[in-house]
Amino acid sequence: MAKLIYSAITSLDGYVADKDGNFDWAAPSEEVHAFVNQLERSVGTYLYGRRMYETMVYWETAHTRAESSPVELDYAEIWQAADKIIYSRTMTDVSSARTRIEREFDPDSVRRLKESAGRDLSVGGAELAAQAIKDGVVEEYHLFVNPVVVGGGTSTLPDNVRLDLELLDEHRFSSGVVHLHYRQTDANSAAS
Ligand SMILES: NC(=O)c1ccc[n+]([C@@H]2O[C@H](COP(=O)([O-])OP(=O)(O)OC[C@H]3O[C@@H](n4cnc5c(N)ncnc54)[C@H](OP(=O)(O)O)[C@@H]3O)[C@@H](O)[C@H]2O)c1
């Protein structure tokens, strides 16, 4: 069965964006970006919260920008080849191919998707991921911990949840970013 993976670039104090919504510190170095590309090559479907989609849709047209580096062009290809499901109660149009909107996050439909999918799924956007985690449908975590403390903002992981995790892998990058790969050891213990 395909897995659902939560992947996030986080500050050391556990935020994906600071109190002003700023996440410029999260921009990956070329080395981190190439590593992310390798991880995401196996993702067949992205589940995005509306706000994360608004950032990620950049990759739909990145190949048309002269300034895109080879590693960015590679990511654009990976992103464009995957299906995207956007969760939003307000969005009416999407600006990428292979993309559809869902009005509610339904864990049972995600479970069915995992059973029928040939490739893994990834969830992005902290608010959406929090629901998936609490509903017990996330199996693995890829956290890229940046050497920065931002003092508050959008939490990478939800409050009031207990997750027992096994560390599967870790990797240190020259920029000081650390990648941590975890598997949840008890998928039923997520509910708050
Ligand atoms: N650290 C990084 O690398 C990085 C990268 C990109 C972006 N960011 C930032 O990180 C933040 C993204 O996380 P986020 O938590 O703010 O937002 P998010 O999870 O990406 O999106 C939240 C939105 O998703 C929709 N949504 C959530 N739950 C839903 C449900 N059950 N049913 C239907 N729709 C649902 C709602 O959209 P509607 O309001 O349309 O209903 C909600 O406002 C943003 O501030 C973003 O700019 C960080």
Side-chain angles (χ1 to χ4, degrees), residues 31-49:
E31 187 190 13
V32 172
H33 212 319
F35 189 94
V36 169
N37 290 6
Q38 280 310 109
L39 287 180
E40 297 205 356
R41 241 175 262 287
S42 58
V43 170
T45 307
Y46 291 107
L47 312 184
Y48 285 129

Side-chain angles (χ1 to χ4, degrees), residues 114-135:
K114 287 197 281 189
E115 280 163 9
S116 62
R119 306 173 75 198
D120 285 341
L121 288 74
S122 170
V123 59
E127 183 186 326
L128 184 72
Q131 295 169 56
I133 292 166
K134 288 185 170 182
D135 287 334

Side-chain angles (χ1 to χ4, degrees), residues 1 4 12 17 37 50-51 60-61 64 70 74 82 96 99 112 126 128 132-133 135 162 164 166 186 191-192:
M1 193 171 85
L4 179 59
L12 176 61
N37 290 6
R50 191 253 310 157
R51 282 199 284 271
E60 184 72 359
T61 51
T64 64
D74 184 32
S96 50
T99 306
R112 285 194 293 275
L128 184 72
I133 292 166
D135 287 334
R162 163 69 186 258
D164 291 313
E166 176 191 0
D186 177 3
S192 59

Side-chain angles (χ1 to χ4, degrees), residues 9 16-17 23 26 49-52 55 87-91 103-105 125-128 131 154:
I9 299 180
V16 292
F23 56 97
R50 191 253 310 157
R51 282 199 284 271
M52 183 57 90
T55 300
Y87 293 85
S88 171
R89 299 180 185 100
T90 62
M91 210 168 69
R103 295 288 175 218
E104 276 304 327
F105 182 80
E127 183 186 326
L128 184 72
Q131 295 169 56
T154 307

